[in-house]
Amino acid sequence: MTAQKKSSQINVEYSDFADINQTEIPDALLLRGNVRVSHEGVVFTCNKAYFFQKENYIKAFGDVQMVQGDTLFLNSKYAEYNGEIKQAYATGNVVMRSPESKLVTDTINFDRNTQEAFYNTYGTITNRENTLKSKSGRYYANEKKFRFLTAVTITNPKYTIKSNHLDYYTNSGHSYLFGPSTITSKENFIYTEKGFYDTKKNLAYFKRKSYIKYKDRRIEGDSLYYDRNREYASATNNVKVTDSINKGVIKGHYAEIYRNLKTQKDSMMITKRAVAITLVENDSMYVHGKKMIVTGKPGERIVRAFNNVRFYKTDMSGKCDSIHSDQKTGLTKLIKNPILWNYENQMTGDVMHLIGNNKTEKLDSLKVLNNAFIVSKDTLGTGYNQVKGQNLYGKFEDNKLREVDIIKNTEVIYYMRNDQQELIGINKSVSSKINMVLDKNTIETITNYNQIDGDIYPEKDLPENARKLRGFIWRGDERIKSKDDIFPPEENELDAKIQAERKAEMDQDNKPLLPSKETLDYDKNNPSPKAKVAKKEKENGAKAKAQ
């Protein structure tokens, strides 16, 4: 066990008057006028002091100042200092200054052994960038850090931070938040329960139950990064972006968001099991692509999805290489190898467009251009109803495909049944145009215009090889039958891994973030002008000595 070093005696350097009055102040030296005392590197000045020599203790009155080198200045109306245990107490208009900040409070205690100051009276801390207000706090002089475990508010011209547990480093402006904390600005509102904010660079990252909320959009994820100067945010794992204006949600495991405050044009990229969910007449549409990009103003968004796009709605699903959806025009383009299933009807073509009605927020119409082909299984038999032509134009009624026109070089194979569902013949015909009226998964009526050739054949009279039109391909095994079918296996595996990691993280004890190397090495990497001069003088001295 190491013996504690005995403290030296407080040294009285100067006073205008010195007196001993055993009646008024027993065992004390009364000092008056321009009092100056020192003790192991700290200097006290005041108007009047009582120095208790036996106890190595001093009480100071009027314009009290305690100075510790060039790192700490403490001013107050009254102070006490114990030279044996190196602890100071100050009260009455207390002002504590360091090169980086100033604290104003009513009462403060300072322990020179640990270089810690603490206060339990309301205090205000100011530095170049911020103003901090709290009910209580602790200052660690060696680390240049304030710690607050009660309500604290940081006010900056651009934002306000509120927390009940915050570590604030005065030299770097780094803030470490723990527990329910908020950051409020004109642009957005941020919530986190574990995070970091660089108040000088306006950079931040948040780790637990965090989200960024804009007027029209909310971004959340297991981990968030935010750059206020660029209005850029990225989110990792369990990302969810909610569009309050368009009633849509986009999810994934990685996202990047840029906001342009002048033009109000935003852009967002999301990947890793990305899915866009849009409410269409009390039914959700799910769209997946390996990468999704959303751009434009609110109400004029453009959504693009790339690579192996799949989508699902209760009565409709499909696949294509990519999707381009323009909210302003209501036009959604299914690009390259599109296929659409509407109930039991399979539709293909070179180009496929879905058109929505912005007023009713319902699907309005469908266009399939070049090589339009509709196939559906016969309801009872093994055959397939088929309609093909150059172009297809469909009309929706209450978001259900109700009427279809196929024009130019149209061909039909249709299994006709009576009210008892008995097969009465197979219609095979060629015409210039066909109109079909649909009722969910059945064709209610089919009408040929300008029929060129065709007949209704008894089943036995139409050979099997004549029951399929040129280009027929049935792709029922590819049909997307649920919202879970839109994701490929490798993305489901990634999701399972991320969910397991998240559960393990949430099961651990929640602890504050440890300060980063950048925070701890801030002074070393960002020396003050005075430190730079001292370093230069030291280097020059070393060179001169070597010579």
Side-chain angles (χ1 to χ4, degrees):
M1 185 174 177
T2 306
Q4 188 174 355
K5 184 181 176 183
K6 183 172 173 61
S7 181
S8 62
Q9 191 73 3
I10 293 173
N11 178 39
V12 178
E13 295 185 2
Y14 182 84
S15 70
D16 290 341
F17 302 97
D19 189 20
I20 295 175
N21 188 330
Q22 289 290 354
T23 305
E24 186 179 338
I25 314 156
D27 300 322
L29 177 64
L30 173 60
L31 306 170
R32 294 176 185 273
N34 297 310
V35 178
R36 178 185 172 95
V37 299
S38 62
H39 185 250
E40 297 185 7
V42 67
V43 176
F44 289 89
T45 58
C46 60
N47 296 332
K48 183 175 79 170
Y50 298 155
F51 176 34
F52 299 87
Q53 292 166 293
K54 289 181 182 179
E55 290 86 0
N56 204 20
Y57 190 89
I58 191 167
K59 292 183 178 182
F61 305 84
D63 294 330
V64 182
Q65 183 177 63
M66 184 187 87
V67 179
Q68 180 179 274
D70 59 357
T71 59
L72 196 68
F73 303 83
L74 186 62
N75 292 78
S76 62
K77 287 184 177 180
Y78 173 78
E80 297 177 10
Y81 178 72
N82 188 325
E84 293 300 306
I85 58 175
K86 296 183 183 178
Q87 289 185 354
Y89 163 85
T91 187
N93 297 337
V94 175
V95 178
M96 186 181 76
R97 289 179 292 115
S98 67
E100 298 85 14
S101 63
K102 180 176 79 171
L103 164 66
V104 177
T105 187
D106 182 70
T107 303
I108 199 165
N109 291 275
F110 180 59
D111 188 335
R112 293 189 63 208
N113 298 298
T114 59
Q115 288 294 298
E116 294 178 19
F118 57 94
Y119 62 94
N120 290 310
T121 51
Y122 283 96
T124 299
I125 300 154
T126 54
N127 63 12
R128 189 176 298 176
E129 293 86 14
N130 308 297
T131 300
L132 294 82
K133 292 187 177 181
S134 68
K135 185 178 178 181
S136 63
R138 185 176 290 266
Y139 178 68
Y140 301 80
N142 291 335
E143 299 173 66
K144 299 181 179 178
K145 176 183 79 175
F146 278 97
R147 167 165 288 175
F148 308 96
L149 298 178
T150 56
V152 58
T153 300
I154 300 179
T155 304
N156 181 286
K158 292 185 177 180
Y159 53 83
T160 300
I161 299 175
K162 291 186 177 181
S163 180
N164 286 328
H165 185 156
L166 182 144
D167 285 0
Y168 178 78
Y169 291 80
T170 58
N171 53 350
S172 61
H174 292 178
S175 298
Y176 290 84
L177 307 156
F178 186 65
S181 307
T182 61
I183 305 171
T184 307
S185 69
K186 288 182 180 179
E187 293 79 29
N188 55 41
F189 173 86
I190 299 171
Y191 176 88
T192 186
E193 293 187 10
K194 185 192 289 188
F196 163 83
Y197 199 103
D198 186 330
T199 61
K200 288 187 176 181
K201 295 180 181 178
N202 279 317
L203 299 175
Y205 57 83
F206 309 108
K207 301 290 289 183
R208 192 178 181 93
K209 298 181 181 178
S210 309
Y211 64 82
I212 304 173
K213 187 177 181 181
Y214 297 91
K215 288 180 181 178
D216 59 329
R217 190 176 278 176
R218 171 177 158 142
I219 302 149
E220 55 193 288
D222 291 351
S223 177
L224 295 178
Y225 171 84
Y226 179 55
D227 183 336
R228 186 178 297 277
N229 294 334
R230 292 194 298 148
E231 273 305 325
Y232 164 84
S234 66
T236 304
N237 294 348
N238 294 300
V239 179
K240 182 180 178 182
V241 182
T242 305
D243 191 327
S244 56
I245 291 179
N246 303 311
K247 300 174 186 176
V249 173
I250 298 182
K251 296 180 178 181
H253 288 308
Y254 182 74
E256 293 184 358
I257 301 98
Y258 291 90
R259 291 183 66 85
N260 189 316
L261 299 177
K262 290 182 179 179
T263 64
Q264 294 299 308
K265 288 183 178 179
D266 307 336
S267 64
M268 175 174 65
M269 183 280 295
I270 191 160
T271 186
K272 295 185 179 180
R273 208 171 185 267
V275 57
I277 307 167
T278 309
L279 189 65
V280 182
E281 190 66 11
N282 299 320
D283 189 9
S284 294
M285 169 79 88
Y286 298 82
V287 180
H288 164 73
K290 284 191 175 179
K291 181 191 285 188
M292 304 190 80
I293 294 176
V294 182
T295 56
K297 298 179 181 179
E300 298 180 11
R301 305 271 195 229
I302 292 175
V303 179
R304 288 173 286 172
F306 303 95
N307 298 337
N308 194 20
V309 172
R310 304 178 184 193
F311 56 92
Y312 171 80
K313 187 171 166 286
T314 305
D315 54 3
M316 183 185 294
S317 63
K319 301 196 302 184
C320 58
D321 183 69
S322 59
I323 274 181
H324 184 286
S325 183
D326 189 325
Q327 185 184 20
K328 189 176 181 180
T329 62
L331 175 62
T332 299
K333 299 177 183 177
L334 280 59
I335 302 165
K336 198 174 180 182
N337 303 318
I339 180 168
L340 183 71
W341 290 276
N342 179 244
Y343 288 104
E344 302 301 319
N345 303 303
Q346 172 188 294
M347 285 173 269
T348 55
D350 295 348
V351 177
M352 198 174 288
H353 293 172
L354 285 164
I355 299 98
N357 186 314
N358 287 335
K359 290 183 179 179
T360 63
E361 296 184 347
K362 296 180 181 180
L363 284 170
D364 180 77
S365 54
L366 166 71
K367 289 182 183 178
V368 182
L369 308 177
N370 300 328
N371 300 311
F373 209 127
I374 301 180
V375 183
S376 65
K377 272 189 172 182
D378 176 36
T379 51
L380 296 176
T382 58
Y384 296 89
N385 296 314
Q386 302 154 61
V387 181
K388 66 177 289 190
Q390 182 168 320
N391 298 328
L392 178 154
Y393 300 96
K395 290 293 291 181
F396 288 90
E397 193 175 284
D398 292 326
N399 290 308
K400 297 172 180 63
L401 193 60
R402 179 61 176 161
E403 189 173 355
V404 173
D405 287 318
I406 301 99
I407 63 169
K408 203 168 184 181
N409 304 325
T410 58
E411 299 178 57
V412 172
I413 292 178
Y414 178 59
Y415 288 72
M416 302 178 68
R417 295 182 178 274
N418 60 20
D419 293 341
Q420 287 74 42
Q421 293 300 304
E422 297 167 337
L423 185 64
I424 57 176
I426 301 172
N427 180 351
K428 184 173 183 181
S429 59
V430 177
S431 59
S432 63
K433 177 184 174 182
I434 294 171
N435 174 269
M436 293 192 304
V437 177
L438 305 171
D439 180 20
K440 290 187 179 179
N441 61 336
T442 60
I443 298 172
E444 209 170 67
T445 62
I446 184 165
T447 307
N448 295 69
Y449 295 88
N450 301 323
Q451 185 166 319
I452 300 166
D453 185 25
D455 206 345
I456 298 174
Y457 298 89
E459 186 179 16
K460 62 183 177 60
D461 292 345
L462 191 64
E464 283 288 338
N465 60 5
R467 297 183 188 181
K468 291 179 182 176
L469 298 175
R470 184 186 296 274
F472 168 87
I473 301 175
W474 176 245
R475 297 166 62 182
D477 58 336
E478 299 178 40
R479 183 179 170 190
I480 298 160
K481 297 180 180 178
S482 75
K483 63 181 182 181
D484 297 322
D485 288 347
I486 64 177
F487 301 109
E490 64 272 15
E491 297 203 15
N492 285 331
E493 289 171 13
L494 171 69
D495 181 63
K497 181 183 176 185
I498 288 171
Q499 300 313 328
E501 290 172 352
R502 184 173 192 253
K503 185 179 184 305
E505 169 72 21
M506 296 301 284
D507 287 344
Q508 291 179 0
D509 290 338
N510 190 20
K511 297 178 181 178
L513 289 170
L514 294 174
S516 68
K517 195 172 186 301
E518 182 186 357
T519 300
L520 298 176
D521 295 344
Y522 186 84
D523 283 341
K524 185 168 69 176
N525 297 326
N526 302 272
S528 65
K530 190 174 181 180
K532 287 179 182 179
V533 171
K535 184 181 178 184
K536 190 70 176 175
E537 289 175 350
K538 187 178 180 181
E539 289 173 353
N540 291 338
K543 285 179 183 178
K545 192 175 181 180
Q547 291 172 354

